Amino acid sequence: MDRRKALRNIGSGIGAIAITPTVVSLFQSCQTAVTYTPVFIPAEDFGIVSNLMELIIPKTDIPGAIELKLPEFADAYIDAVWDKERQDNFVDAWKAFKEAGTSAAGKTNASELSGTDWDAQLAKYLKPGNDVPAGEEDAAKFAGQLRNLTVNAFKTNEFIGENVLAYAPVPGQQKGCVDLMETTGGKAWSL
Amino acid sequence: METNYDAIVVGTGISGGWAAKELCEKGLKTLVLERGPMVKHVEDYPTMNNDPWDYKTGDVITQETKKTQGKQSRTGYTTTESNKHFFVDDVKHPYNETNRFDWMRGYHVGGRSLMWGRQSYRLTDFDFTANLQDGIAVDWPIRYKDLAPWYNHVEEFIGVSGENVGLPQFPDGNYLKAMEMNCVEDVLKSSMSEKYDDRILTMGRTAHITEGSKPGLGRSNCQYRNRCMRGCPFGAYFSSNSSTLPTAEATGNMTLRANSVVHEVIYDADTKRATGVRVIDAETKEVYEFNAKVIFLCASAIPTTSILMQSKSERFPNGMGNDSGELGHNIMDHHLGVGASGRFEGFEDKYYTGRRPNGVYIPRFRNIGGNTNRKDFTRGYGYQGGASRGNWSDSIAEMAYGAAFKEAVTTPGDWRMGLGGFGEILPYHDNKMTLDYENLDQWGLPTVTFDATIKENELNMRKDMQQQAAEMLENAGFKDVRGYDGDYAIGLGIHEMGSARMGRDRKTSVLNANNQLHDVPNVYVTDGAAMTSAGNVNPSLTYMALTARAANHAVEELKKMNI
């Protein structure tokens, strides 16, 4: 079966991703038992960013962003790897994302936004086919960057790399053209 | 402490390891001096089995690393967490740039033979006659037939995987089983054989064992982990550490002294011979002298030339062997960072196993006679490349984010293929290095100042390299084909060479046809400094062959008492 068609049929036909009770509750209590002190992301924003990452890679039968500690990874990553200019641009984009979201939801403070509000923002910037409203280019950039950071953190995660993706630390042989389903059950190599 | 030897070898990299092996095997008591610390095969490969998640933020280049390895990090890949320890600390080993020069170094036993790209190709007579035909620089004093038996010799010992294709510009050799192309690379190969009569796609020739074993410390088959630069627990790719040095050691004739910075070759004006070398201990800063009947300088092009420049005497006020004034000049590299890539639709149900430590290769097809000759540039280029299934695909973008997106992210992405060119840089007298005695390093030695740039021939060649890569991909049905021509400065190819060139005439060259200094016949230079032209292929195999040939010559000369 055409893989593209198969994937397309999953979760199609709606403007925003289906809002589950879990998503709604994510943002209601910012008690992500904070034992982690972020090194880059401002402490007051870490909860929101974590929840946004959970929207991008939610818990399914595989753990989601929060359980996998992807927000911690992304935070450390930005701090260690990006240069000052890139970090500063990210901070500006994050501010723009917060402002656009706050404004769109008709609120005065980012902390008042609900899961549905944040989800609508991600949908607006990440779902293809939507034009980025004028003045919201930086906010849209943030959404794209956060998604990239989340995916990078996901793929660099030990649990995912060894248990979810196909893991072969010592392949032993090299074959150029093999059947995907037979070889890895359809999964990408983690290494 | 013993100070008298039959031979001294300076450096333990690609060429130094070979000098050590050949000289020791022929019975010479050989002192091998390495400026950096010991690295023992397998024992001293701390990162060889690490996964990306063994590092706090993945196997990436961090800002912290750039503080001490800013220049080494210009490659964008060599100073990741798993590799950085094998590249120099730029603060401890500074150099100066009149024009940007990217000088990548590994100062330890094994040198860059530990971290090299392992691509192994022969020069041809197109290369050896190029300067003569173009009226550029000076003629090589050797031809392919002089080196061919030595290419055979080194390929046989180290193991090179590849296939013979019977092209004059891409000579046949002794190859172990070639690695496999994947489905999309096969598409390009078929398309090229159908649509072009002047070029082919073949598998890269790489110094990996793909069948059997090779001599050394238990060298066995490649396991396709593609973690080569960290050192290989299987000894599957060639390095001095797994191959030539253990072989030299097994003869009982080798004394290896690490942490030994050779800074001068000592000259005796009466005998008109070198008598030995002066060494500064890298750690204690104590100075030593060692004597030998023959000296092999294999410290890599720039350090070897630095040593010769520092070897001043009444006879050689401008550095040993520098009557011609060419010492330090004619620096070359291969220019790269230009080519094209595209996306292939199809084979969604196909994948590959193993992380192949090698790519596909397109041998030179320009300026090899007849219709292939260009007016806009002379010399040639080849391509290295490969196809893979990456992270992103259109379907992922459509999923946007969420559960379906997460699922899609765990599957292979679109097929993409890239072709990156490696082009020849001409020998320009003005491309040079000098020593700066106002800026000394921590051993009190002058630092190197580089002044070298690519020029019109290279720039014109790059336009063709990009255009041809894009055309080949488009003709094969790739979509969204994009050319690129990135940020290149000399040195980024990590093939810096020249500066003590071979030639027929002592008035215009530093070395003769046997890699001896014209004027000091018991000093041999067999690393990249010797190169009279760059060719367009990765040079390490040529350094090995030149070294083995020169070592043979040196031993014969010693027997005849000529040196």
Side-chain angles (χ1 to χ4, degrees):
Chain A
M1 188 205 219
D2 188 313
R3 175 182 151 263
R4 277 171 188 281
K5 292 212 192 85
L7 283 174
R8 234 177 239 138
N9 290 336
I10 307 171
S12 61
I14 39 177
I17 304 301
I19 301 299
T20 65
T22 324
V23 168
V24 170
S25 71
L26 260 184
F27 291 87
Q28 273 169 352
S29 54
C30 267
Q31 350 145 306
T32 353
V34 181
T35 48
Y36 175 74
T37 309
V39 290
F40 181 81
I41 297 169
E44 66 270 18
D45 292 329
F46 188 72
I48 303 175
V49 173
S50 299
N51 291 331
L52 287 168
M53 290 177 73
E54 183 72 20
L55 283 175
I56 295 172
I57 291 198
K59 183 175 171 60
T60 55
D61 53 350
I62 299 163
I66 288 177
E67 196 179 330
L68 292 170
K69 294 197 175 335
L70 305 190
E72 286 84 337
F73 182 95
D75 176 59
Y77 184 91
I78 296 168
D79 183 65
V81 179
W82 287 5
D83 61 29
K84 182 113 197 347
E85 191 186 339
R86 201 162 172 197
Q87 289 174 344
D88 288 346
N89 289 341
F90 183 76
V91 167
D92 290 342
W94 164 235
K95 284 197 183 110
F97 184 86
K98 267 196 292 189
E99 273 161 28
T102 310
S103 192
K107 304 273 165 55
T108 46
N109 197 299
S111 57
E112 299 167 56
L113 266 62
S114 69
T116 319
D117 292 329
W118 285 123
D119 187 74
Q121 285 300 100
L122 286 181
K124 178 167 55 164
Y125 302 132
L126 294 180
K127 275 292 225 176
N130 294 336
D131 288 325
V132 174
E136 289 179 47
E137 295 82 9
D138 276 359
K141 253 192 226 155
F142 173 81
Q145 282 183 324
L146 188 67
R147 180 172 61 179
N148 288 345
L149 284 164
T150 309
V151 172
N152 179 56
F154 183 71
K155 292 190 148 200
T156 317
N157 180 275
E158 181 168 7
F159 175 82
I160 299 299
E162 293 184 8
N163 301 297
V164 175
L165 298 173
Y167 181 56
V170 187
Q173 64 169 9
Q174 184 252 341
K175 291 262 166 256
C177 193
V178 298
D179 186 83
L180 170 62
M181 288 311 290
E182 269 173 40
T183 306
T184 65
K187 290 302 181 199
W189 295 113
S190 56
L191 297 176
Chain B
M1 184 183 63
E2 179 58 69
T3 58
N4 292 318
Y5 294 86
D6 297 323
I8 288 173
V9 175
V10 181
T12 55
I14 290 280
S15 27
W18 266 95
K21 168 197 173 298
E22 295 288 304
L23 296 171
C24 286
E25 277 181 332
K26 292 177 203 289
L28 301 195
K29 294 282 183 223
T30 306
L31 174 65
V32 181
L33 297 166
E34 166 54 51
R35 73 170 294 156
M38 176 59 67
V39 172
K40 287 202 157 76
H41 177 54
V42 187
E43 259 180 74
D44 293 327
Y45 303 157
T47 61
M48 62 185 177
N49 294 321
N50 285 353
D51 288 325
W53 38 85
D54 291 327
Y55 298 104
K56 183 149 192 264
T57 54
D59 192 12
V60 292
I61 303 177
T62 66
Q63 293 299 314
E64 193 61 33
T65 296
K66 287 182 184 176
K67 289 180 186 158
T68 53
Q69 294 182 295
K71 300 193 185 194
Q72 304 306 293
S73 297
R74 291 178 188 169
T75 59
Y77 70 94
T78 47
T79 49
T80 58
E81 294 289 271
S82 62
N83 297 325
K84 65 184 184 180
H85 57 291
F86 282 146
F87 287 86
V88 299
D89 180 316
D90 282 314
V91 175
K92 294 196 177 125
H93 299 283
Y95 63 92
N96 319 303
E97 302 170 75
T98 301
N99 282 293
R100 179 181 145 198
F101 194 104
D102 297 346
W103 190 24
M104 306 304 155
R105 293 146 289 161
Y107 286 171
H108 44 251
V109 170
R112 284 178 286 176
S113 79
L114 262 184
M115 315 94 75
W116 69 308
R118 313 163 305 281
Q119 295 287 293
S120 298
Y121 304 103
R122 302 181 176 202
L123 288 178
T124 69
D125 272 337
F126 291 110
D127 304 304
F128 288 116
T129 62
N131 284 353
L132 182 66
Q133 298 208 358
D134 287 343
I136 285 172
V138 299
D139 187 18
W140 278 91
I142 57 174
R143 292 292 182 257
Y144 181 68
K145 67 168 172 39
D146 298 310
L147 213 46
W150 299 100
Y151 279 130
N152 284 338
H153 177 75
V154 301
E155 280 170 1
E156 180 58 40
F157 188 79
I158 72 174
V160 179
S161 152
E163 60 173 3
N164 284 325
V165 296
L167 290 177
Q169 74 272 29
F170 201 60
D172 289 350
N174 302 328
Y175 299 116
L176 302 174
K177 190 164 61 132
M179 297 180 187
E180 294 186 15
M181 288 197 195
N182 60 45
C183 328
V184 169
E185 290 160 355
D186 272 327
V187 166
L188 182 63
K189 180 175 177 172
S190 304
S191 162
M192 283 173 66
S193 82
E194 204 191 307
K195 302 206 162 118
Y196 295 89
D197 57 13
D198 65 348
R199 67 193 75 170
I200 60 159
L201 186 74
T202 179
M203 184 47 64
R205 291 173 175 172
T206 186
H208 283 252
I209 298 172
T210 50
E211 51 184 322
S213 64
K214 286 294 178 186
L217 278 180
R219 295 192 58 208
S220 61
N221 224 75
C222 182
Q223 300 294 301
Y224 304 98
R225 307 174 326 128
N226 198 23
R227 290 173 165 168
C228 318
M229 286 171 63
R230 312 171 189 194
C232 179
F234 304 93
Y237 75 92
F238 169 80
S239 67
S240 301
N241 312 62
S242 66
S243 170
T244 45
L245 288 175
T247 305
E249 189 172 14
T251 64
N253 289 326
M254 180 174 82
T255 303
L256 173 58
R257 196 185 190 285
N259 297 306
S260 303
V261 182
V262 172
H263 63 96
E264 191 180 338
V265 180
I266 307 165
Y267 183 68
D268 182 335
D270 296 325
T271 59
K272 300 198 180 149
R273 297 284 182 271
T275 58
V277 297
R278 293 202 170 92
V279 168
I280 299 168
D281 187 285
E283 293 175 317
T284 66
K285 312 284 167 69
E286 283 178 76
V287 296
Y288 301 98
E289 277 182 21
F290 297 102
N291 304 312
K293 300 179 212 155
V294 67
I295 293 159
F296 267 69
L297 294 180
C298 301
S300 104
I302 309 300
T304 282
T305 292
S306 297
I307 291 169
L308 288 169
M309 284 174 158
Q310 287 157 196
S311 304
K312 295 197 220 282
S313 57
E314 215 185 301
R315 167 67 182 85
F316 296 113
N318 300 318
M320 185 177 283
N322 193 22
D323 281 356
S324 65
E326 294 296 331
L327 189 65
H329 291 267
N330 314 301
I331 289 182
M332 302 162 284
D333 182 21
H334 293 121
H335 62 96
L336 71 177
V338 57
S341 70
R343 185 173 53 82
F344 195 81
E345 281 169 5
F347 297 114
E348 273 125 18
D349 57 344
K350 294 292 190 200
Y351 211 14
Y352 33 79
T353 62
R355 296 182 293 282
R356 191 184 63 199
N358 184 19
V360 296
Y361 191 76
I362 298 177
R364 172 180 180 179
F365 52 87
R366 291 308 203 205
N367 293 315
I368 46 174
N371 289 343
T372 73
N373 289 349
R374 311 272 306 176
K375 292 190 167 39
D376 50 344
F377 64 89
T378 184
R379 312 293 164 97
Y381 59 87
Y383 292 99
Q384 295 178 18
S388 62
R389 295 196 70 166
N391 298 320
W392 289 96
S393 69
D394 289 350
S395 52
I396 287 185
E398 279 162 23
M399 297 297 111
Y401 63 97
F405 172 80
K406 178 188 181 186
E407 171 63 27
V409 155
T410 64
T411 64
D414 284 343
W415 283 98
R416 293 198 63 83
M417 182 157 188
L419 292 171
F422 276 66
E424 179 164 358
I425 296 178
L426 290 175
Y428 300 102
H429 181 81
D430 286 345
N431 281 350
K432 63 184 181 293
M433 59 173 274
T434 51
L435 295 183
D436 185 349
Y437 283 86
E438 311 272 302
N439 285 299
L440 305 180
D441 65 17
Q442 61 173 282
W443 296 278
L445 299 173
T447 51
V448 174
T449 298
F450 291 102
D451 186 3
T453 59
I454 56 173
K455 305 186 200 300
E456 194 186 341
N457 196 66
E458 292 77 35
L459 294 172
N460 288 349
M461 189 192 292
R462 288 173 80 83
K463 293 198 183 86
D464 192 49
M465 288 159 87
Q466 180 177 332
Q467 191 271 326
Q468 286 298 303
E471 181 190 289
M472 285 185 277
L473 292 174
E474 270 154 8
N475 283 346
F478 285 79
K479 306 273 188 283
D480 299 334
V481 173
R482 261 165 230 151
Y484 61 89
D485 186 341
D487 181 36
Y488 171 78
I490 296 198
L492 199 56
I494 322 188
H495 295 159
E496 78 286 359
M497 60 174 92
S499 73
R501 69 180 176 200
M502 293 167 79
R504 298 179 187 279
D505 184 350
R506 51 179 297 287
K507 291 202 271 309
T508 53
S509 60
V510 178
L511 306 173
N512 66 17
N514 302 307
N515 291 78
Q516 297 162 292
L517 290 183
H518 282 296
D519 301 311
V520 191
N522 69 333
V523 176
Y524 287 79
V525 173
T526 66
D527 58 25
M531 299 291 274
T532 304
S533 70
N536 65 272
V537 297
N538 307 61
S540 298
L541 193 72
T542 297
Y543 303 161
M544 297 185 210
L546 286 173
T547 301
R549 177 173 172 270
N552 183 66
H553 183 266
V555 171
E556 291 303 303
E557 289 294 282
L558 280 170
K559 285 191 193 146
K560 293 181 209 164
M561 312 239 271
N562 287 339
I563 58 175

